[in-house]
Amino acid sequence: MSTPATRELLERSAAHLTAADLARLGESLLGDTSFEPTFALEPRLWATLEHALEVVGRDARSAGITGTLSLVTPAWDDNGHAWVEFEGDYHGNGIPPSLGYSAEGAGSA
């Protein structure tokens, strides 16, 4: 992949790269490749989604819907998305980790 960050990394001597250079270039590379961390790499993303599911669960119970909502990552999901499980069924299209960056994102899932 040819990007400004990859070109800079290839053209500069590693001995001349500072910690700040490496952090900047690493961030650029992650952005260039559309990197998305997994729940394992960023556990707070999972925690945000769990909190949002607690709110949904309270709303469901207040509407008379009984049963347990769970946030799971099924082995069959190769994308590493979270899924809402209710009474043994999975609902929705899967929730990517990036929606856990904010309560608003988690709420839109």
Side-chain angles (χ1 to χ4, degrees):
M1 172 180 259
S2 180
T3 67
T6 56
R7 284 190 295 279
E8 185 175 346
L9 281 168
L10 293 171
E11 292 170 358
R12 290 183 62 185
S13 167
H16 293 101
L17 292 171
T18 66
D21 290 333
L22 291 173
R24 176 181 52 79
L25 292 167
E27 187 174 311
S28 291
L29 288 172
L30 292 174
D32 292 342
T33 60
S34 301
F35 173 79
E36 186 174 302
T38 63
F39 291 115
L41 288 174
E42 287 283 350
R44 67 185 174 87
L45 301 176
W46 185 267
T48 302
L49 295 179
E50 280 186 325
H51 177 70
L53 188 60
E54 289 171 8
V55 173
V56 171
R58 284 195 301 266
D59 289 349
R61 286 188 299 280
S62 70
I65 299 170
T66 59
T68 302
L69 292 170
S70 302
L71 194 61
V72 298
T73 52
W76 49 261
D77 184 329
D78 294 334
N79 295 315
H81 289 175
W83 289 78
V84 175
E85 183 180 22
F86 180 71
E87 296 186 353
D89 290 323
Y90 300 101
H91 299 272
N93 296 316
I95 305 167
S98 61
L99 289 182
Y101 278 115
S102 68
E104 294 80 19
S108 71

